[in-house]
Protein backbone atom coordinates (compact mmCIF):
# COMPACT_ATOMS: atom_id res chain seq x y z
CA UNK A 1 0.00 0.00 0.00
CA UNK A 2 1.33 3.44 -0.93
CA UNK A 3 2.12 5.93 1.82
CA UNK A 4 1.35 9.63 1.89
CA UNK A 5 3.51 11.43 4.43
CA UNK A 6 1.78 14.59 5.64
CA UNK A 7 3.77 16.96 7.80
CA UNK A 8 2.39 18.88 10.75
CA UNK A 9 3.93 21.45 13.07
CA UNK A 10 0.93 21.00 15.41
CA UNK A 11 -0.53 24.34 14.30
CA UNK A 12 -3.97 25.02 12.84
CA UNK A 13 -2.33 25.98 9.51
CA UNK A 14 -1.07 22.43 8.97
CA UNK A 15 -4.54 20.88 9.24
CA UNK A 16 -5.42 21.72 5.62
CA UNK A 17 -2.64 19.40 4.42
CA UNK A 18 -3.78 16.73 6.86
CA UNK A 19 -7.34 16.89 5.52
CA UNK A 20 -6.19 16.91 1.90
CA UNK A 21 -3.94 13.88 2.52
CA UNK A 22 -6.89 11.99 4.03
CA UNK A 23 -9.03 12.82 0.97
CA UNK A 24 -6.23 11.79 -1.38
CA UNK A 25 -5.70 8.50 0.48
CA UNK A 26 -9.41 7.73 0.39
CA UNK A 27 -9.43 8.08 -3.40
CA UNK A 28 -6.40 5.87 -4.06
CA UNK A 29 -6.58 3.50 -1.07
CA UNK A 30 -3.28 4.71 0.37
CA UNK A 31 -1.99 4.92 3.91
CA UNK A 32 -1.45 8.30 5.59
CA UNK A 33 1.45 8.94 7.93
CA UNK A 34 1.03 12.06 10.07
CA UNK A 35 4.60 13.20 10.69
CA UNK A 36 6.01 15.72 13.11
CA UNK A 37 9.74 16.40 13.12
CA UNK A 38 10.93 17.50 16.55
CA UNK A 39 14.25 18.91 17.73
CA UNK A 40 15.97 18.53 21.07
CA UNK A 41 19.02 20.73 21.40
CA UNK A 42 21.96 19.11 23.15
CA UNK A 43 24.02 20.74 25.86
CA UNK A 44 27.75 20.16 25.90
CA UNK A 45 27.76 18.19 29.17
CA UNK A 46 25.08 15.62 28.23
CA UNK A 47 26.23 12.08 27.56
CA UNK A 48 24.88 10.17 24.55
CA UNK A 49 22.69 8.14 26.90
CA UNK A 50 21.24 11.20 28.63
CA UNK A 51 20.64 12.93 25.28
CA UNK A 52 18.77 9.84 24.01
CA UNK A 53 16.62 9.90 27.15
CA UNK A 54 15.69 13.54 26.60
CA UNK A 55 14.79 12.82 22.96
CA UNK A 56 12.60 9.87 23.97
CA UNK A 57 10.88 11.92 26.69
CA UNK A 58 10.22 14.82 24.32
CA UNK A 59 8.89 12.41 21.70
CA UNK A 60 6.32 11.06 24.18
CA UNK A 61 5.19 14.59 25.00
CA UNK A 62 4.79 15.44 21.31
CA UNK A 63 2.84 12.22 20.66
CA UNK A 64 0.43 13.13 23.48
CA UNK A 65 -0.15 16.48 21.78
CA UNK A 66 -0.34 15.12 18.23
CA UNK A 67 -2.71 12.19 18.76
CA UNK A 68 -5.83 14.25 19.68
CA UNK A 69 -5.12 16.60 16.74
CA UNK A 70 -5.09 13.64 14.33
CA UNK A 71 -8.25 12.17 15.86
CA UNK A 72 -10.00 15.52 15.57
CA UNK A 73 -9.05 15.94 11.89
CA UNK A 74 -10.12 12.36 11.10
CA UNK A 75 -13.49 12.88 12.77
CA UNK A 76 -14.02 16.12 10.85
CA UNK A 77 -13.43 14.20 7.60
CA UNK A 78 -15.62 11.28 8.72
CA UNK A 79 -12.82 8.94 7.67
CA UNK A 80 -12.45 6.72 10.70
CA UNK A 81 -11.34 4.01 10.61
CA UNK A 82 -8.80 4.16 7.78
CA UNK A 83 -5.14 3.28 7.34
CA UNK A 84 -2.95 5.81 9.12
CA UNK A 85 0.08 6.07 11.36
CA UNK A 86 1.37 8.79 13.66
CA UNK A 87 5.13 9.38 13.61
CA UNK A 88 7.43 11.67 15.54
CA UNK A 89 10.92 11.82 14.09
CA UNK A 90 13.92 13.59 15.59
CA UNK A 91 16.21 15.75 13.48
CA UNK A 92 17.74 19.14 14.23
CA UNK A 93 16.89 20.22 10.66
CA UNK A 94 13.17 19.93 9.89
CA UNK A 95 13.64 19.56 6.13
CA UNK A 96 16.30 16.87 6.58
CA UNK A 97 13.99 15.09 9.01
CA UNK A 98 11.05 15.09 6.59
CA UNK A 99 13.17 13.87 3.68
CA UNK A 100 14.90 11.26 5.85
CA UNK A 101 11.62 9.84 7.12
CA UNK A 102 9.99 9.88 3.66
CA UNK A 103 12.94 7.92 2.23
CA UNK A 104 12.95 5.41 5.09
CA UNK A 105 9.24 4.62 4.77
CA UNK A 106 9.29 4.66 0.94
CA UNK A 107 6.67 7.40 0.72
CA UNK A 108 4.81 8.00 -2.53
CA UNK A 109 4.54 11.74 -1.85
CA UNK A 110 4.90 14.40 0.83
CA UNK A 111 1.97 16.65 1.68
CA UNK A 112 2.53 20.02 3.37
CA UNK A 113 0.51 23.14 4.12
CA UNK A 114 1.50 26.52 2.74
CA UNK A 115 0.70 29.89 4.23
CA UNK A 116 -0.73 33.20 2.98
CA UNK A 117 0.65 36.13 1.03
CA UNK A 118 4.06 37.74 1.25
CA UNK A 119 7.37 36.91 -0.32
CA UNK A 120 8.25 33.37 -1.43
CA UNK A 121 9.52 32.32 2.00
CA UNK A 122 6.41 33.66 3.74
CA UNK A 123 4.17 32.10 1.12
CA UNK A 124 5.54 28.59 1.23
CA UNK A 125 7.25 28.71 4.59
CA UNK A 126 10.95 27.99 4.92
CA UNK A 127 10.42 24.24 5.10
CA UNK A 128 8.15 24.05 2.06
CA UNK A 129 10.53 26.05 -0.12
CA UNK A 130 13.41 23.83 1.00
CA UNK A 131 11.38 20.69 0.27
CA UNK A 132 10.57 21.91 -3.24
CA UNK A 133 14.26 22.48 -3.87
CA UNK A 134 15.51 19.19 -2.43
CA UNK A 135 12.83 16.50 -2.39
CA UNK A 136 13.10 13.46 -4.65
CA UNK A 137 9.45 12.77 -3.87
CA UNK A 138 6.45 14.61 -5.25
CA UNK A 139 5.48 17.45 -2.89
CA UNK A 140 1.78 18.30 -2.57
CA UNK A 141 1.39 21.92 -1.46
CA UNK A 142 -1.96 22.76 0.15
CA UNK A 143 -2.90 26.35 1.07
CA UNK A 144 -3.72 26.66 4.77
CA UNK A 145 -7.27 27.84 4.03
CA UNK A 146 -7.94 25.38 1.23
CA UNK A 147 -11.42 23.90 0.97
CA UNK A 148 -11.00 20.14 0.66
CA UNK A 149 -12.55 18.38 -2.34
CA UNK A 150 -12.10 15.10 -4.22
CA UNK A 151 -9.38 15.43 -6.84
CA UNK A 152 -11.27 15.18 -10.12
CA UNK A 153 -8.85 16.76 -12.60
CA UNK A 154 -5.05 16.91 -12.85
CA UNK A 155 -3.73 19.86 -14.91
CA UNK A 156 -0.12 19.25 -15.93
CA UNK A 157 1.63 22.44 -17.06
CA UNK A 158 4.38 21.30 -19.43
CA UNK A 159 7.27 23.05 -21.15
CA UNK A 160 7.26 20.08 -23.61
CA UNK A 161 11.01 19.51 -23.19
CA UNK A 162 10.70 16.14 -21.43
CA UNK A 163 6.97 15.59 -21.48
CA UNK A 164 6.89 11.81 -22.09
CA UNK A 165 9.00 11.04 -19.04
CA UNK A 166 7.07 13.56 -16.97
CA UNK A 167 3.72 12.23 -18.18
CA UNK A 168 4.66 8.77 -16.94
CA UNK A 169 5.17 10.27 -13.48
CA UNK A 170 1.89 12.19 -13.66
CA UNK A 171 -0.10 9.19 -14.95
CA UNK A 172 1.25 7.00 -12.13
CA UNK A 173 -0.06 9.60 -9.70
CA UNK A 174 -3.36 10.17 -11.52
CA UNK A 175 -4.41 6.60 -12.35
CA UNK A 176 -5.32 5.48 -8.79
CA UNK A 177 -7.41 8.66 -8.39
CA UNK A 178 -9.30 7.92 -11.63
CA UNK A 179 -9.11 11.62 -12.35
CA UNK A 180 -9.13 13.40 -15.69
CA UNK A 181 -5.70 14.39 -16.96
CA UNK A 182 -4.90 17.40 -19.13
CA UNK A 183 -1.49 18.33 -20.49
CA UNK A 184 -1.41 22.01 -21.34
CA UNK A 185 1.39 24.05 -22.83
CA UNK A 186 1.54 27.83 -22.90
CA UNK A 187 2.83 28.35 -26.45
CA UNK A 188 4.30 31.31 -28.28
CA UNK A 189 3.13 32.11 -31.83
CA UNK A 190 6.33 30.77 -33.41
CA UNK A 191 6.16 27.33 -31.75
CA UNK A 192 5.30 24.20 -33.75
CA UNK A 193 1.91 22.78 -32.84
CA UNK A 194 1.17 19.10 -33.42
CA UNK A 195 -2.15 17.66 -34.49
CA UNK A 196 -3.71 17.34 -31.04
CA UNK A 197 -6.11 14.49 -31.82
CA UNK A 198 -3.23 12.41 -33.22
CA UNK A 199 -1.06 13.22 -30.20
CA UNK A 200 -3.84 12.29 -27.77
CA UNK A 201 -4.37 8.95 -29.53
CA UNK A 202 -0.64 8.16 -29.38
CA UNK A 203 -0.42 9.09 -25.70
CA UNK A 204 -3.43 6.94 -24.81
CA UNK A 205 -1.83 3.98 -26.59
CA UNK A 206 1.58 4.50 -24.96
CA UNK A 207 0.37 5.32 -21.46
CA UNK A 208 -2.85 3.28 -21.36
CA UNK A 209 -4.57 6.36 -19.94
CA UNK A 210 -6.54 9.13 -21.67
CA UNK A 211 -4.72 12.45 -21.78
CA UNK A 212 -6.27 15.62 -23.13
CA UNK A 213 -3.71 17.90 -24.80
CA UNK A 214 -4.17 21.61 -25.30
CA UNK A 215 -1.89 24.38 -26.54
CA UNK A 216 -2.74 27.77 -25.07
CA UNK A 217 -1.79 31.17 -26.45
CA UNK A 218 1.01 32.92 -24.59
CA UNK A 219 -0.11 36.46 -23.83
CA UNK A 220 3.03 38.59 -23.52
CA UNK A 221 1.01 41.25 -21.73
CA UNK A 222 0.64 38.80 -18.87
CA UNK A 223 3.12 36.86 -16.79
CA UNK A 224 3.41 33.11 -17.33
CA UNK A 225 1.73 32.65 -13.97
CA UNK A 226 -1.31 34.62 -15.13
CA UNK A 227 -1.54 32.50 -18.28
CA UNK A 228 -1.46 29.33 -16.16
CA UNK A 229 -4.09 30.76 -13.85
CA UNK A 230 -6.35 31.46 -16.82
CA UNK A 231 -6.25 27.77 -17.79
CA UNK A 232 -7.12 26.62 -14.28
CA UNK A 233 -10.01 28.99 -13.58
CA UNK A 234 -12.70 27.15 -15.61
CA UNK A 235 -11.72 23.70 -14.31
CA UNK A 236 -13.43 22.60 -11.11
CA UNK A 237 -11.65 20.51 -8.46
CA UNK A 238 -8.36 20.70 -10.35
CA UNK A 239 -4.86 20.21 -9.02
CA UNK A 240 -1.94 21.81 -10.84
CA UNK A 241 1.18 19.75 -11.54
CA UNK A 242 4.57 21.37 -12.11
CA UNK A 243 8.05 19.95 -12.64
CA UNK A 244 10.70 22.11 -11.01
CA UNK A 245 14.46 22.29 -11.31
CA UNK A 246 16.22 21.20 -8.14
CA UNK A 247 18.91 23.83 -8.05
CA UNK A 248 19.15 26.64 -5.57
CA UNK A 249 17.02 29.51 -6.74
CA UNK A 250 15.32 27.62 -9.58
CA UNK A 251 12.15 26.93 -7.62
CA UNK A 252 11.92 30.58 -6.72
CA UNK A 253 12.57 31.57 -10.33
CA UNK A 254 9.78 29.26 -11.47
CA UNK A 255 7.21 30.12 -8.85
CA UNK A 256 7.80 33.69 -7.72
CA UNK A 257 5.12 35.81 -9.41
CA UNK A 258 5.65 39.34 -10.60
CA UNK A 259 2.79 40.98 -8.73
CA UNK A 260 0.75 40.71 -5.55
CA UNK A 261 -2.20 39.42 -7.59
CA UNK A 262 -0.19 36.53 -8.99
CA UNK A 263 1.22 35.79 -5.57
CA UNK A 264 -2.29 35.38 -4.17
CA UNK A 265 -2.98 32.86 -6.96
CA UNK A 266 -0.26 30.58 -5.62
CA UNK A 267 -1.63 31.00 -2.11
CA UNK A 268 -5.02 29.67 -3.28
CA UNK A 269 -4.04 26.81 -5.56
CA UNK A 270 -3.23 23.23 -4.58
CA UNK A 271 -0.29 22.12 -6.67
CA UNK A 272 2.09 19.20 -6.86
CA UNK A 273 5.76 19.70 -7.56
CA UNK A 274 7.68 16.81 -9.10
CA UNK A 275 11.48 16.99 -9.39
CA UNK A 276 12.53 17.63 -12.98
CA UNK A 277 15.13 15.36 -14.50
CA UNK A 278 18.60 16.75 -14.91
CA UNK A 279 19.40 17.91 -18.46
CA UNK A 280 22.11 15.24 -18.87
CA UNK A 281 19.60 12.51 -17.98
CA UNK A 282 17.22 13.83 -20.61
CA UNK A 283 19.98 13.77 -23.26
CA UNK A 284 20.97 10.19 -22.41
CA UNK A 285 17.37 9.06 -22.77
CA UNK A 286 17.06 10.74 -26.17
CA UNK A 287 20.27 9.04 -27.38
CA UNK A 288 19.01 5.59 -26.33
CA UNK A 289 15.75 6.20 -28.16
Amino acid sequence: MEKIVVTTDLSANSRAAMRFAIQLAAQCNAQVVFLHVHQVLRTSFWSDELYAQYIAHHKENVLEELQPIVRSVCRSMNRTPFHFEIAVHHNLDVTDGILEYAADCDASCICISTRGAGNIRKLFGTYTAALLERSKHAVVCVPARQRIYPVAHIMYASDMKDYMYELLEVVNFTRPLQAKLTLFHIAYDYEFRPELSVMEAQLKKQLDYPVRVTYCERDTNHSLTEDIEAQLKPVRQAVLVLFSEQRKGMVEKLLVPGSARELSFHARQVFISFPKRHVTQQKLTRKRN
Side-chain angles (χ1 to χ4, degrees):
M1 178 177 288
E2 292 192 344
K3 288 187 178 181
I4 300 170
V5 172
V6 55
T7 66
T8 174
D9 59 2
L10 309 179
S11 71
N13 281 335
S14 64
R15 297 194 182 195
M18 296 168 73
R19 290 191 292 268
F20 194 85
I22 291 170
Q23 175 61 50
L24 205 59
Q27 287 187 245
C28 59
N29 192 30
Q31 181 180 20
V32 176
V33 180
F34 299 97
L35 171 67
H36 176 76
V37 176
H38 70 129
Q39 306 88 29
V40 177
L41 298 179
R42 181 174 183 170
T43 62
S44 59
F45 56 84
W46 284 355
S47 65
D48 290 346
E49 183 179 357
L50 184 59
Y51 186 42
Q53 289 176 3
Y54 272 100
I55 291 173
H57 178 68
H58 190 259
K59 179 178 180 178
E60 290 301 317
N61 290 338
V62 173
L63 278 170
E64 287 183 9
E65 189 176 356
L66 179 56
Q67 286 170 348
I69 293 174
V70 171
R71 286 196 293 267
S72 173
V73 173
C74 291
R75 282 196 301 269
S76 73
M77 296 289 293
N78 195 26
R79 293 293 183 182
T80 51
F82 77 104
H83 300 288
F84 74 88
E85 293 179 7
I86 299 174
V88 177
H89 183 70
H90 182 262
N91 197 301
L92 295 179
D93 183 283
V94 173
T95 303
D96 284 346
I98 295 170
L99 296 177
E100 185 177 78
Y101 187 88
D104 288 345
C105 77
D106 194 24
S108 55
C109 66
I110 299 169
C111 193
I112 189 166
S113 286
T114 61
R115 295 191 291 275
N119 60 35
I120 185 73
R121 294 293 172 178
K122 289 180 182 177
L123 171 63
F124 293 127
T126 304
Y127 306 136
T128 313
L131 278 176
L132 292 173
E133 292 171 357
R134 296 169 52 194
S135 177
K136 295 180 181 178
H137 297 82
V139 179
V140 183
C141 301
V142 184
R145 297 182 179 180
Q146 177 66 38
R147 182 177 62 86
I148 304 306
Y149 50 79
V151 178
H153 204 142
I154 300 293
M155 298 284 289
Y156 159 47
S158 176
D159 60 10
M160 302 306 290
K161 292 179 180 178
D162 196 23
Y163 73 91
M164 272 308 300
Y165 170 81
E166 293 175 357
L167 263 178
L168 285 170
E169 295 281 326
V170 178
V171 167
N172 288 338
F173 185 90
T174 307
R175 193 188 304 274
L177 301 172
Q178 298 182 338
K180 295 179 182 178
L181 175 57
T182 296
L183 179 160
F184 71 97
H185 174 59
I186 309 296
Y188 289 91
D189 292 339
Y190 57 79
E191 289 188 55
F192 169 77
R193 304 192 183 201
E195 182 63 45
L196 297 184
S197 60
V198 174
M199 186 176 179
E200 289 173 351
Q202 291 174 339
L203 290 175
K204 185 175 182 179
K205 183 177 180 180
Q206 290 176 285
L207 300 169
D208 191 29
Y209 199 85
V211 181
R212 179 173 176 264
V213 181
T214 179
Y215 273 58
C216 319
E217 293 290 341
R218 176 75 174 99
D219 188 339
T220 54
N221 294 318
H222 297 158
S223 69
L224 182 59
T225 307
E226 287 176 312
D227 284 345
I228 292 174
E229 181 183 11
Q231 298 306 310
L232 292 170
K233 271 186 177 179
V235 184
R236 296 186 62 190
Q237 300 180 348
V239 170
L240 172 66
V241 167
L242 301 168
F243 279 75
S244 56
E245 294 281 1
Q246 291 196 298
R247 294 201 301 271
K248 185 173 178 58
M250 284 304 296
V251 169
E252 297 192 9
K253 181 179 178 182
L254 174 66
L255 297 177
V256 168
S259 68
R261 177 180 174 279
E262 295 170 358
L263 196 57
S264 68
F265 155 65
H266 286 296
R268 293 195 306 268
Q269 180 67 43
V270 176
F271 73 91
I272 306 170
S273 174
F274 286 87
K276 200 171 184 68
R277 280 202 302 180
H278 194 273
V279 174
T280 54
Q281 293 175 307
Q282 297 178 30
K283 290 180 178 176
L284 285 172
T285 302
R286 293 191 190 105
K287 286 180 180 179
R288 292 193 194 103
N289 295 336

